[in-house]
Amino acid sequence: MVESRTYDDAALSGTHFKWTLIASLGDFLDAGMLAGTGITLLAIGTLLNFTTLEDGLPALITLLGAAFGALTFGRLGDKFGRKFIYQLDMLIYGASSILLAITGVFPSRIFNIVWAMVFYAMVGIAVGADVPTSWSLITEFSPKNYRGRLMSITTIMWYVGVLVELGIAIALYNTGMILFRTIWIFLGLLAFVSWILRRDLTESPRFDMMRGNKTDLEKSAKKLHINISEEENKKFTIKKYKELFRNYGWFMLLAWFLYLMWGIPASTYGEFFPYIFSSLHLVSLRDTYAFEAVYFGSAIVPGLVIFYYLSDRVGRVPLYLTSAVMAAISFFLLIYPPFLKNVYVLLISFLLFGIGQGLGIWPTTRLLSLEHFPTSLRNSGQGFVWFTMRFEAGIFGLFTPMIVAFGIGYIGWIAGIFFVMAFVVVLFLYMFKPEYVRTERKSLEETSRDEVL
């Protein structure tokens, strides 16, 4: 293979895909946490006699754990490297998942609840530590003309993670705590496998440049067929944490807004889909799992066929705007009470949101939350944005069962309005401040205004 002169101009190779897939196991496990919490909520809630408020605790605890994990480890990833963090967090995830799986073996109800919440929190912390770090790694070794393509794989892996768990749920339908224990032991073992696979990954090349780690830089350059004569002496300015808010405040605000508009609806479906739609008593619980599989599975096709190929060519914004419209319509269908009694209308609603997510909303939100931060603050910026998104989703999740008790239509109003707002803001930026949203085919140094020494 012909050697490239820079990481940005490198030809897309099998190594890029291999590293992306291994790093994307964090997305699989994030989906596992969210979907696993939702799928097994009825089982653990029945075993421990949860009240309506307590039904919201697993979602709250996992999301708050992810929030604080992202905030803490995001900063540590900029100080000690991406590789250090994304190996450590897999060990935490693996041990915590398996310990969570034995909930219910103790005689005291209160002790079982405390035990479960501790390890829900630890799983959440591990996810919060991993995903922002893995995304930083992928964006930093991706060629500029293929960054959208490689990052779309992380989205697809997330949905695959949900589908695998739903397959387990359908196979073990109506088995209560057997399903609960199977889900969490499976996730724990996968985390340990991920830890083993990641030991062969190199550090982020941009982090190596920033820290002057030439030996490790040469390893990644050799595997990616890059002649680093131009790259090995490149160094990035190391910025202080406060500059994240002082110099990148508007980009932080954009990333926070996009995450909030997408994150509340998506987290609600991710953790409460069976809870919400089993409350309608239209179909069996197994059929509810099947509907959830249709919803998540429908996101894979547009992500794999459309965003994967077009995001770096025609741009992300047209795809984002189209998907925002689809998502808004999806939720507005839920506000008309007769539609909640029609299985086919509900299926259309699920498909609109699923396809809409994969088409543009979710992968574009990921990219824009990474591309505007400099190398020395990329993990910190992503970690802070993740903190706000998961914290807000956790608080909303605590009250979701009560909102559902009042009426699913309220979920439709909230989520539908969120996506209308997202559409308006992104369209405005596309027309009047394109540098905020038109980042395709640009280097990270261009999109983040990173200073190269």
Side-chain angles (χ1 to χ4, degrees), residues 80-151:
F80 300 107
R82 314 328 187 196
K83 186 173 182 177
F84 172 76
I85 299 300
Y86 69 60
Q87 285 188 300
L88 174 65
D89 56 47
M90 286 295 95
L91 296 176
I92 297 172
Y93 191 116
S96 300
S97 293
I98 292 172
L99 290 171
L100 175 60
I102 67 172
T103 297
V105 303
F106 309 104
S108 167
R109 173 182 180 270
I110 298 300
F111 187 85
N112 276 301
I113 291 176
V114 172
W115 176 275
M117 297 310 147
V118 166
F119 292 109
Y120 273 127
M122 293 302 295
V123 170
I125 288 170
V127 165
D130 187 85
V131 177
T133 304
S134 298
W135 291 356
S136 293
L137 173 70
I138 293 169
T139 59
E140 288 169 351
F141 68 62
S142 295
K144 65 181 181 181
N145 292 331
Y146 299 102
R147 194 163 56 240
R149 180 176 294 195
L150 291 176
M151 278 298 295

Side-chain angles (χ1 to χ4, degrees), residues 380-430:
S380 301
Q382 176 66 201
F384 184 84
V385 172
W386 246 63
F387 163 76
T388 60
M389 185 268 286
R390 289 293 168 103
F391 183 86
E392 291 153 351
I395 299 301
F396 190 83
L398 178 64
F399 296 102
T400 296
M402 286 184 278
I403 296 173
V404 171
F406 281 115
I408 293 175
Y410 291 105
I411 299 289
W413 275 113
I414 293 168
I417 291 172
F418 274 17
F419 286 118
V420 170
M421 293 169 60
F423 177 91
V424 171
V425 169
V426 171
L427 179 61
F428 175 85
L429 292 174
Y430 185 66

Side-chain angles (χ1 to χ4, degrees), residues 43-324:
I44 191 173
T46 301
L47 177 74
L48 301 180
N49 298 311
F50 279 176
T51 65
T52 300
L53 182 62
E54 288 170 342
D55 277 335
L57 282 178
L60 172 69
I61 297 299
T62 52
L63 290 168
L64 289 184
F68 286 100
L71 184 66
T72 304
F73 286 91
R75 186 62 185 144
L76 294 176
D78 283 331
K79 286 183 172 292
F80 300 107
R82 314 328 187 196
K83 186 173 182 177
F84 172 76
I85 299 300
Y86 69 60
Q87 285 188 300
L88 174 65
D89 56 47
M90 286 295 95
L91 296 176
I92 297 172
Y93 191 116
S96 300
S97 293
I98 292 172
L99 290 171
L100 175 60
I102 67 172
T103 297
V105 303
F106 309 104
S108 167
R109 173 182 180 270
I110 298 300
F111 187 85
N112 276 301
I113 291 176
V114 172
W115 176 275
M117 297 310 147
V118 166
F119 292 109
Y120 273 127
M122 293 302 295
V123 170
I125 288 170
V127 165
D130 187 85
V131 177
T133 304
S134 298
W135 291 356
S136 293
L137 173 70
I138 293 169
T139 59
E140 288 169 351
F141 68 62
S142 295
K144 65 181 181 181
N145 292 331
Y146 299 102
R147 194 163 56 240
R149 180 176 294 195
L150 291 176
M151 278 298 295
S152 72
I153 293 173
T154 67
T155 312
I156 293 166
M157 285 289 284
W158 197 96
Y159 293 121
V160 170
V162 177
L163 290 179
V164 170
E165 295 218 341
L166 287 170
I168 296 173
I170 293 170
L172 298 178
Y173 161 72
N174 224 15
T175 59
M177 288 302 290
I178 293 177
L179 172 62
F180 179 90
R181 302 190 202 290
T182 302
I183 288 285
W184 291 107
I185 290 173
F186 165 72
L187 292 173
L189 294 176
L190 182 61
F192 288 129
V193 170
S194 178
W195 175 77
I196 293 171
L197 293 174
R198 289 178 174 192
R199 296 182 67 185
D200 290 332
L201 294 184
T202 65
E203 179 56 86
S204 157
R206 281 181 164 85
F207 183 85
D208 282 336
M209 292 178 207
M210 182 179 72
R211 294 294 183 181
N213 300 331
K214 291 188 178 181
T215 301
D216 203 45
L217 186 64
E218 289 171 355
K219 293 179 182 178
S220 64
K222 183 177 180 180
K223 292 182 178 181
L224 294 175
H225 306 284
I226 295 170
N227 183 339
I228 60 169
S229 57
E230 290 188 11
E231 301 276 58
E232 61 182 349
N233 295 317
K234 185 187 294 184
K235 291 195 68 175
F236 299 101
T237 303
I238 298 178
K239 301 179 185 294
K240 296 181 179 179
Y241 189 71
K242 63 182 180 182
E243 294 185 62
L244 190 61
F245 305 92
R246 188 175 64 191
N247 297 336
Y248 295 89
W250 287 109
F251 294 128
M252 288 276 285
L253 182 62
L254 172 63
W256 166 81
F257 174 80
L258 294 179
Y259 261 123
L260 178 64
M261 296 300 100
W262 173 86
I264 294 295
S267 294
T268 300
Y269 265 22
E271 298 218 80
F272 289 103
F273 192 101
Y275 185 93
I276 291 171
F277 292 103
S278 62
S279 71
L280 295 173
H281 305 293
L282 292 177
V283 296
S284 68
L285 183 58
R286 175 177 284 181
D287 289 337
T288 300
Y289 290 146
F291 276 136
E292 189 174 9
V294 169
Y295 155 60
F296 282 112
S298 66
I300 295 177
V301 176
L304 188 60
V305 176
I306 301 175
F307 192 89
Y308 181 87
Y309 287 106
L310 297 184
S311 63
D312 293 310
R313 297 178 182 178
V314 304
R316 292 84 187 258
V317 174
L319 300 175
Y320 185 97
L321 295 176
T322 303
S323 60

